[in-house]
Amino acid sequence: SSGINAEYGLQHSPSQGLLQKDRPPSPSLFDRSIEFLKREFDSLKFTLGTRPMLTHAEWFGIFNSDGQMINEESYRQFLLEYDWPPELLQEGWKYLFQFYCILSNHEERVLREKDKEKELEHLLVAWSQILKLEKQNVEKTRVEKLLYLINKDVPRTDRDLDFYINNPENSEILRDLLVTFCFANPDIGYVQGMNEVLSLFLVTVENKVAA
């Protein structure tokens, strides 16, 4: 046991009959992780706010006359190394999150937006009509439960943003989109936090169809 005690810096105290450390405890895994993250953060070559701002000329310069992206590598570089003005970020996110196909042209993107708008309106009408049913059924109960849960979270979502303060109807759009998504995906349903994720997309792209 004396070998084990020596290896781990422990000494036997005859007066107390207990093992005692003769050195301070080593940092915990959490503390070591925090220190590692701090070092990594300090080693970054750039920070948000000090990067170049993407210009309209740079953005439109990666498309051909048909509106098709012809320089995907530059697009990826813009994502990693540039800050984006809001009006361009709206478009950039549509590619990043695959609302637009990376190789689509202008005409194809217009058609996709129209198709997605029709799909959204169809689903909105579907669950709205279910709520109007006089008799209770499984589907009506499901939609009512969704509304109950979502209506509790929506008023608390990013309520300090001008997007919602100046346009209260945007909160209604957020609610309708959440209900629509959960209605169309019953296996997923609604969990707290979905409101925050959707709000990020809605505030950024300012388009309920793309969000």
Side-chain angles (χ1 to χ4, degrees), residues 2 9 15 25 29 38 40 71 74 81 84 90 99 104 107 136 154 158 167 173 182 188 205-206 211:
S2 60
S15 61
L29 176 61
K38 286 180 179 179
E40 289 297 305
N71 194 335
S74 290
E81 300 179 9
W84 291 56
Q90 293 174 5
F99 182 74
S104 61
E107 183 179 352
Q136 198 72 22
V154 165
D158 294 329
N167 300 284
I173 293 174
C182 297
I188 299 176
V205 301
E206 296 185 359

Side-chain angles (χ1 to χ4, degrees), residues 13-185:
S13 172
S15 61
Q16 299 178 1
L18 298 172
L19 291 174
Q20 296 178 336
K21 293 185 177 181
D22 64 352
R23 62 184 180 184
S26 59
S28 67
L29 176 61
F30 174 79
D31 291 333
R32 295 200 304 273
S33 300
I34 293 298
E35 287 302 316
F36 172 77
L37 291 174
K38 286 180 179 179
R39 291 196 302 271
E40 289 297 305
F41 181 79
D42 291 339
S43 69
L44 290 176
K45 294 182 180 179
F46 56 83
T47 58
L48 187 64
T50 62
R51 297 182 293 176
M53 181 66 71
L54 181 66
T55 66
H56 286 70
E58 289 171 322
W59 173 247
F60 291 113
I62 65 174
F63 296 88
N64 63 19
S65 58
D66 292 327
Q68 185 179 42
M69 188 181 294
I70 55 175
N71 194 335
E72 186 177 345
E73 186 61 32
S74 290
Y75 168 62
R76 296 181 186 277
Q77 182 182 10
F78 295 159
L79 290 173
L80 292 173
E81 300 179 9
Y82 283 68
D83 285 340
W84 291 56
E87 67 276 11
L88 295 184
L89 188 62
Q90 293 174 5
E91 297 303 306
W93 270 34
K94 291 175 184 177
Y95 289 96
L96 179 62
F97 294 101
Q98 300 180 352
F99 182 74
Y100 290 156
C101 172
I102 202 74
L103 297 178
S104 61
N105 58 36
H106 176 71
E107 183 179 352
E108 290 168 337
R109 292 195 294 274
V110 170
L111 290 175
R112 176 162 175 81
E113 290 206 12
K114 289 181 178 179
D115 288 342
K116 285 297 181 180
E117 184 175 10
K118 290 179 181 178
E119 181 182 343
L120 176 60
E121 290 302 320
H122 173 75
L123 290 169
L124 281 168
V125 170
W127 66 259
S128 298
Q129 291 298 323
I130 288 174
L131 284 176
K132 296 178 182 179
L133 294 175
E134 293 184 6
K135 293 184 179 181
Q136 198 72 22
N137 59 28
V138 175
E139 282 296 279
K140 184 176 181 180
T141 299
R142 183 167 74 91
V143 175
E144 288 175 340
K145 183 179 180 180
L146 285 173
L147 273 172
Y148 173 75
L149 294 172
I150 290 169
N151 278 333
K152 290 199 303 182
D153 286 342
V154 165
R156 304 184 290 214
T157 306
D158 294 329
R159 55 188 176 185
D160 57 332
L161 296 183
D162 290 341
F163 182 79
Y164 295 110
I165 295 174
N166 298 334
N167 300 284
E169 64 273 12
N170 285 333
S171 291
E172 297 179 9
I173 293 174
L174 178 66
R175 179 204 63 196
D176 289 348
L177 290 178
L178 284 168
V179 176
T180 301
F181 174 83
C182 297
F183 174 75
N185 298 274

